[in-house]
Amino acid sequence: MKLQKKLGIALIAYALSANFASAASETEGNNDFASRNIFAPGTFVVDGELTPLYDLSSLTPDFTYQDTLSANQVLSFSESGLSSGTPFFAAIDNTASGVDTRLGVFDETNFQLDDNDDGSPLGNGLGSLIGNQVNNDQSINLKVTGYNDYNFDGSHTLAGDFTLNIYLGFDAIGEVDYLSFTGLTPGAQMKAEITSADFDTTLGLFDDTGNLIDWDDDGGQDALSLLIATVSSNGELNFAISGYPDFNFASGSNNQFGQYQLTLTAVPVPAAVWLFGSGLLGLIGLGNRNRRNA
């Protein structure tokens, strides 16, 4: 029974250390597996931030519009004569007014392809950013409305000045953060969970050579990401944090930005395992007593 108690105490202490550990901070420059942040043993919580790969204030847009949004209004912006299939992204700078925008991209038939609420790193964080490709008819068609107008029919009460910038040549500017936890127990089951984030996360699990072996989008609380992983023989677990819809974990494949927290906790040992262990220890003790009495 002493061995059983010691084992139980050790597992409880391990779980508590993960749950109450202070957070380490992610360091930029960890955008691929080779340059990942490697944290010292005893680290179970990491605070990080996904930032744009480019400083938009230093990029020259290919097209710029300055306009004013009024309540119940939807503004349309179009460019033509472009090369079909060319990637682009559009970002709203709402510095002038702080207006909370929604940005949509439409094809040549006015079908809505995608929309975004608060993706722009410009302004106060309530501006929109979206990426796509030039339409088959060589056009870009965008619409700007106010927050909560998901149908782009003018159902909003917001107003304010803004600037809409279009950049040709790439459709995503989001980075990826690679992180490694060390000093873990080989073979142990661990839960890796993004417990808070300002954006729609994706989480990837990698082996010791950088191969993707599992990923998750919305398996955690509030559509955040969660994975159950088995610690490798070297006592390490390797993860990448990105934004939807990046499931390959390559920088420049998403337009999600913001802070996040990744937490690693021990998966509780199932009750059946405890019962099996108790029975096994009981049989060992009985065998020892029988040998002493023989």
Side-chain angles (χ1 to χ4, degrees), residues 2 73-74 77 135 163 171 181 185-186 189 194 200 203 253 285:
K2 290 183 179 179
Q73 184 182 34
V74 178
F77 304 89
N135 293 322
T163 300
D171 57 6
F181 295 86
T185 302
Q189 292 280 298
I194 298 180
D200 189 354
L203 178 64
S253 299

Side-chain angles (χ1 to χ4, degrees), residues 44-80:
F44 297 98
V45 182
V46 174
D47 288 333
E49 182 176 7
L50 292 191
T51 58
L53 293 172
Y54 310 99
D55 179 5
L56 294 190
S57 63
S58 66
L59 291 181
T60 301
D62 293 276
F63 306 101
T64 297
Y65 308 89
Q66 292 182 333
D67 214 321
T68 301
L69 181 68
S70 300
N72 305 121
Q73 184 182 34
V74 178
L75 298 173
S76 297
F77 304 89
S78 296
E79 291 292 338
S80 59

Side-chain angles (χ1 to χ4, degrees), residues 6-16 266 269 274:
K6 288 181 179 179
L7 179 61
I9 291 171
L11 287 171
I12 291 171
Y14 187 60
L16 288 175
V269 177
W274 284 109

Side-chain angles (χ1 to χ4, degrees), residues 195-207:
T195 49
S196 64
D198 298 331
F199 57 95
D200 189 354
T201 63
T202 59
L203 178 64
L205 173 67
F206 292 77
D207 67 16

Side-chain angles (χ1 to χ4, degrees), residues 68-75 99-102 143-160 162:
T68 301
L69 181 68
S70 300
N72 305 121
Q73 184 182 34
V74 178
L75 298 173
V99 61
D100 191 352
T101 61
R102 193 163 193 89
K143 294 183 181 182
V144 176
T145 185
Y147 169 70
N148 220 27
D149 181 14
Y150 296 96
N151 296 320
F152 289 83
D153 58 8
S155 301
H156 70 91
T157 59
L158 299 171
F162 67 91

